[in-house]
Amino acid sequence: DQQVKQNSPSLSVQEGRISILNCDYTNSMFDYFLWYKKYPAEGPTFLISISSIKDKNEDGRFTVFLNKSAKHLSLHIVPSQPGDSAVYFCAATGSARQLTFGSGTQLTVLP
Amino acid sequence: ETGVTQTPRHLVMGMTNKKSLKCEQHLGHNAMYWYKQSAKKPLELMFVYNFKEQTENNSVPSRFSPECPNSSHLFLHLHTLQPEDSALYLCASSQGRSNEQFFGPGTRLTVL
């Protein structure tokens, strides 16, 4: 059973609009959450993270929101750019410091 | 070379072949990881090495054999694989067991 779920395999957004990628988790012991971005033929690259003691972390156009009671996090990208088109992976970790990944969401930003 | 490199980038092998995947990190990290990514599935952690010592083996079949001769190099030796082992194999490194891992580009493996 997947402990980290990304229920939308794909998302298309118009350039300049907001992209919202969602992630749900089931393990209440997770205390740190990360988003990775992956282009074709490249490995995943770290994008942004959030600790469970926070509910929001912002870095430029990227903001991650954490709702612990709902065991849900989301990544907001605004404004979206064509170069943001990639697969986005949500990951979570607990005290063991092993990353548990979701299956990814393919974001396509249309010019 | 910078970051994490993996060779080969693509590999096609028969079920009776023996091959090895190589990973090298140029970041001064002391933890290295092997992941498997099958189509439409999450990345699955296979092995973890911390200071050259294997600390995790997530129930990986013995036909996959890791080797970590030093903190910068990690190998995955492959022997008598099955077609269902076809996947993208990713190597990653981190400083200790920190949350942020740096990934290589992966080896696309096809088992015929």
Side-chain angles (χ1 to χ4, degrees):
Chain A
D1 187 34
Q2 287 187 42
Q3 297 187 64
V4 178
K5 295 181 182 178
Q6 294 177 255
N7 291 317
S8 297
S10 63
L11 173 69
S12 291
V13 171
Q14 208 68 39
E15 181 179 3
R17 306 294 290 267
I18 185 171
S19 296
I20 300 176
L21 297 105
N22 294 303
C23 178
D24 297 294
Y25 62 96
T26 57
N27 189 338
S28 57
M29 301 304 292
F30 287 147
D31 60 6
Y32 199 83
F33 305 87
L34 307 89
W35 285 95
Y36 279 80
K37 173 180 175 180
K38 184 180 184 303
Y39 293 116
E42 295 182 15
T45 55
F46 170 75
L47 188 58
I48 192 170
S49 62
I50 187 167
S51 165
S52 61
I53 62 172
K54 294 186 172 182
D55 54 17
K56 176 182 175 181
N57 188 26
E58 193 171 352
D59 183 2
R61 297 186 296 114
F62 302 90
T63 303
V64 56
F65 295 91
L66 175 63
N67 182 334
K68 289 187 290 294
S69 60
K71 293 192 178 68
H72 177 84
L73 64 155
S74 60
L75 174 68
H76 292 212
I77 307 173
V78 57
S80 301
Q81 299 173 354
D84 296 328
S85 297
V87 178
Y88 289 79
F89 292 98
C90 169
T93 184
S95 58
R97 290 294 170 255
Q98 282 190 26
L99 290 180
T100 301
F101 284 86
S103 53
T105 297
Q106 170 70 58
L107 173 66
T108 302
V109 180
L110 305 168
Chain B
E1 293 278 14
T2 58
V4 181
T5 58
Q6 290 186 243
T7 55
R9 295 294 307 275
H10 300 271
L11 179 62
V12 179
M13 60 186 289
M15 289 192 286
T16 58
N17 291 157
K18 289 184 182 180
K19 297 285 184 183
S20 295
L21 310 184
K22 179 183 175 183
C23 175
E24 185 173 358
Q25 59 96 359
H26 308 269
L27 300 167
H29 292 163
N30 50 31
M32 297 187 77
Y33 311 79
W34 278 117
Y35 286 88
K36 174 184 177 182
Q37 187 186 15
S38 303
K40 308 296 183 188
K41 288 188 174 182
L43 276 73
E44 301 170 49
L45 180 66
M46 300 175 72
F47 300 104
V48 180
Y49 277 82
N50 202 21
F51 288 101
K52 304 187 299 176
E53 299 297 322
Q54 186 180 133
T55 56
E56 299 287 343
N57 175 343
N58 278 6
S59 304
V60 180
S62 60
R63 57 186 184 269
F64 295 92
S65 173
E67 178 190 359
C68 188
N70 55 59
S71 295
S72 299
H73 293 85
L74 185 64
F75 295 89
L76 188 62
H77 303 299
L78 314 173
H79 176 51
T80 59
L81 295 193
Q82 305 297 313
E84 59 265 28
D85 296 322
S86 299
L88 180 68
Y89 288 84
L90 289 159
C91 173
S93 70
S94 69
Q95 185 54 38
R97 296 297 298 275
S98 73
N99 293 308
E100 187 178 340
Q101 296 178 16
F102 293 77
F103 285 83
T107 295
R108 175 69 62 186
L109 174 68
T110 302
V111 182
L112 301 177

